[in-house]
Amino acid sequence: MLMRRMILTCAVGLLVLVGLAACAEDDVAGVGETAVATMWGVDGAAMGTVTMEQGPHGVLISADVSGLTEGGHGFHIHTVGSCSPDFSAAGGHFAPEGRGHGFLYADGAHAGDIPNIYAAGDGTARADFFTDWVTLAAHGTTSVFDADGSTIIIHAKPDTYGSEAGAGDRVACGVITRN
């Protein structure tokens, strides 16, 4: 009888722990949230989309774009959710924690740094990136949905990954919006 009670108590305890672990994963801010940035060129032409999906450990960013020149292009999250009147309205790179720019920067990259994308000879680029530096949650210092929103910018040249981007002109812009 005592053995049966101990087994039952252990089984119930295990079920409670499993349930708490499942709830804890569901409680991660924004899990399951999705967003999209419809990309536009400087001439107003549609250039594809960048989608974002919040997971329990960060955000998956997927780019499917066209109309680029062949080769590498800087790819960043910018601080303001506006592409007009020109792409400069998007502001600088998203850096809510004040860190410098670039993966090779001694103090570390900022939240808006994403690896370069590479366009094929036909101008298309498809890429997936994962980051735990931003969130799609409604609140928090690293939310792309802060008071003025955020954008995705594609640049004319590849990012140098150093303290200065060196990626050149902005050739595509898309405001990040919730799906």
Side-chain angles (χ1 to χ4, degrees):
M1 178 81 158
L2 182 59
M3 181 62 93
R4 188 177 294 163
R5 183 178 294 164
M6 286 175 49
I7 291 172
L8 182 59
T9 301
C10 288
V12 169
L14 182 59
L15 287 174
V16 168
L17 288 174
V18 169
L20 287 173
C23 288
E25 185 170 304
D26 290 343
D27 287 343
V28 173
V31 168
E33 293 286 335
T34 60
V36 65
T38 301
M39 304 302 293
W40 301 96
V42 292
D43 61 357
M47 294 183 70
T49 58
V50 175
T51 59
M52 303 172 88
E53 182 175 356
Q54 178 72 54
H57 304 289
V59 175
L60 178 64
I61 301 171
S62 299
D64 190 1
V65 295
S66 61
L68 298 171
T69 58
E70 183 176 5
H73 296 272
F75 187 69
H76 302 104
I77 299 172
H78 281 246
T79 60
V80 180
S82 176
C83 292
S84 60
D86 62 23
F87 296 167
S88 66
H93 294 177
F94 186 67
E97 296 172 338
R99 289 192 295 194
H101 173 273
F103 295 116
L104 302 177
Y105 182 62
D107 293 334
H110 54 62
D113 282 335
I114 305 171
N116 293 324
I117 60 173
Y118 291 86
D122 66 357
T124 61
R126 172 81 182 95
D128 290 324
F129 304 104
F130 179 83
T131 181
D132 60 358
W133 295 347
V134 301
T135 181
L136 301 183
H139 304 290
T141 58
T142 61
S143 176
V144 296
F145 296 115
D146 59 6
D148 59 0
S150 302
T151 53
I152 298 287
I153 294 285
I154 300 173
H155 294 270
K157 298 188 260 179
D159 192 312
T160 65
Y161 299 137
S163 62
E164 295 295 325
D169 293 340
R170 300 170 184 202
V171 297
C173 182
V175 175
I176 302 171
T177 58
R178 289 192 186 283
N179 274 344

